[in-house]
C-alpha cells in the first residue's frame, strides 16, 4: 500500500517556488477570483502524473480522500488522477466502477479548479455513464448544483459520451446553462458544443440557429 503521506512528501520534494507564483496567477487565486486562496507547489501536470503512475492501484480510497482534501492543488490533482487510474482498471467490473463513481461524486467539490474538473470527470463519470444501464440524470443534478465546479463537471463529463456519438445529453445541458453567469461554464459549454459539431455538424447548426440570439 502507498499512503497519502508518502505521495504528499514526494510532491512537496519537487516544489518549484517560481513556478508556483506563475501557476497561482494563471489559475486566478487572488482575492475575489474563482480560485481564491488555492495553493500551488509549482508542479507541471506531467510531474504529478509520474508520481501517480508509480503509486497507481496501490492507494486505497481512505488515502485518496486525504489527498483530495489537501491544501495543495497538485496533491488534490494526484488524488483525482489516481481515481482515473482506478476507473481504467475497473473497465470490466461494473460493481467497482459504481464504487469509484460514487466516491468521486461525494468529493466532487474538491475538484475546485477547471483543470481538476477537466482532467478527471470525463474519464471517471464519463466512463461510468457510457454503460447502457447508466442513469444520466446525475448530469442534470450536477448542472443544477449551487457549486460552480459541480456544474462544470456536469457539462464536461459529456465529452466522453459524445465520443460514443451520443449528443443529446450535451445539448440538453447546454440549453440549461445558456444563462449561467460565469465564463468558466460558458467556455466549457462552448467546448462541448464544438465536440458535438465534430460528430454531427448539422445538429450543432440546428442548436446554434435556435439559440444564437441569447448565447453569450
Amino acid at each position: 500500500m502507498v499512503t497519502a503521506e508518502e505521495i504528499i512528501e514526494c510532491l512537496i520534494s519537487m516544489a518549484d517556488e517560481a513556478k508556483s507564483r506563475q501557476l497561482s496567477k494563471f489559475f486566478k487565486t487572488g482575492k475575489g477570483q474563482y480560485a481564491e486562496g488555492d495553493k500551488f507547489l509549482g508542479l507541471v501536470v506531467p510531474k504529478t502524473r509520474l508520481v501517480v503512475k508509480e503509486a497507481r492501484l496501490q492507494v486505497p480510497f481512505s488515502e485518496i480522500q486525504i489527498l483530495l482534501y489537501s491544501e495543495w492543488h497538485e496533491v488534490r490533482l494526484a488524488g483525482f488522477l489516481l481515481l482515473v487510474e482506478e476507473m481504467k482498471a475497473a473497465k470490466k467490473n461494473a460493481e467497482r466502477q459504481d464504487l469509484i463513481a460514487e466516491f468521486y461524486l461525494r468529493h466532487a467539490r474538491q475538484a475546485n479548479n477547471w483543470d481538476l474538473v477537466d482532467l478527471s470527470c470525463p474519464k471517471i463519470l464519463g466512463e461510468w455513464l457510457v454503460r447502457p444501464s447508466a442513469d444520466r440524470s446525475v448530469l442534470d443534478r450536477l448542472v443544477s448544483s449551487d457549486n460552480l465546479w459541480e456544474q462544470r463537471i456536469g457539462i464536461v463529463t459529456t465529452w466522453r459520451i459524445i465520443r460514443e456519438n451520443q449528443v443529446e445529453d450535451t445539448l440538453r445541458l447546454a440549453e440549461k446553462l445558456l444563462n449561467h453567469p460565469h465564463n468558466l461554464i460558458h467556455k466549457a459549454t462552448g467546448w462541448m458544443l464544438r465536440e458535438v459539431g465534430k460528430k454531427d455538424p448539422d445538429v450543432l447548426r440546428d442548436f446554434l440557429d435556435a439559440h444564437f440570439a441569447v448565447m453569450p
Side-chain angles (χ1 to χ4, degrees):
M1 185 184 87
V2 177
T3 67
E5 183 179 1
E6 290 171 328
I7 293 171
I8 293 169
E9 287 178 355
C10 185
L11 292 170
I12 289 176
S13 72
M14 297 188 291
D16 182 326
E17 187 174 345
K19 189 68 174 176
S20 172
R21 289 194 294 270
Q22 293 175 8
L23 291 173
S24 295
K25 184 176 181 180
F26 180 74
F27 283 103
K28 309 297 184 185
T29 65
K31 186 172 179 58
Q33 295 182 309
Y34 59 74
E36 180 179 349
D38 201 358
K39 295 174 65 176
F40 286 80
L41 293 168
L43 305 182
V44 294
V45 173
K47 285 190 175 182
T48 304
R49 286 192 185 278
L50 284 175
V51 175
V52 168
K53 184 178 179 181
E54 291 296 317
R56 65 191 184 95
L57 308 184
Q58 302 177 67
V59 188
F61 282 166
S62 58
E63 297 296 305
I64 292 176
Q65 183 170 331
I66 293 171
L67 298 176
L68 296 183
Y69 285 81
S70 170
E71 63 180 335
W72 296 108
H73 185 99
E74 294 91 340
V75 174
R76 298 197 303 280
L77 175 59
F80 284 114
L81 292 179
L82 285 167
L83 289 176
V84 170
E85 294 299 322
E86 290 285 346
M87 187 60 85
K88 287 180 184 176
K91 192 168 186 178
K92 296 182 179 180
N93 186 334
E95 184 176 348
R96 180 65 176 170
Q97 283 191 332
D98 289 345
L99 290 174
I100 297 164
E102 289 161 8
F103 180 86
Y104 181 83
L105 287 168
R106 282 199 303 276
H107 305 289
R109 294 189 179 203
Q110 293 307 111
N112 54 356
N113 214 315
W114 56 264
D115 63 319
L116 302 180
V117 169
D118 299 354
L119 291 171
S120 64
C121 66
K123 295 179 180 179
I124 298 172
L125 290 189
E127 199 64 39
W128 183 54
L129 291 174
V130 295
R131 287 163 35 187
S133 60
D135 178 6
R136 294 183 185 170
S137 65
V138 66
L139 297 174
D140 298 87
R141 292 198 298 273
L142 286 165
V143 300
S144 298
S145 168
D146 61 358
N147 179 268
L148 175 69
W149 308 114
E150 288 187 331
Q151 292 167 345
R152 187 173 173 109
I153 286 170
I155 187 66
V156 175
T157 292
T158 67
W159 190 13
R160 175 66 182 87
I161 298 170
I162 294 167
R163 287 172 53 196
E164 301 296 315
N165 295 311
Q166 300 171 24
V167 302
E168 295 81 6
D169 297 288
T170 305
L171 298 177
R172 182 181 73 257
L173 299 178
E175 190 168 6
K176 287 186 174 185
L177 294 170
L178 283 174
N179 296 313
H180 197 282
H182 206 291
N183 71 321
L184 282 180
I185 298 300
H186 294 305
K187 288 178 179 179
T189 304
W191 170 23
M192 291 305 109
L193 289 173
R194 182 182 66 192
E195 296 302 316
V196 167
K198 291 177 182 179
K199 293 294 185 181
D200 194 329
D202 291 335
V203 167
L204 176 58
R205 290 191 188 97
D206 288 344
F207 183 89
L208 297 176
D209 285 343
H211 300 291
F212 77 92
V214 295
M215 291 177 71

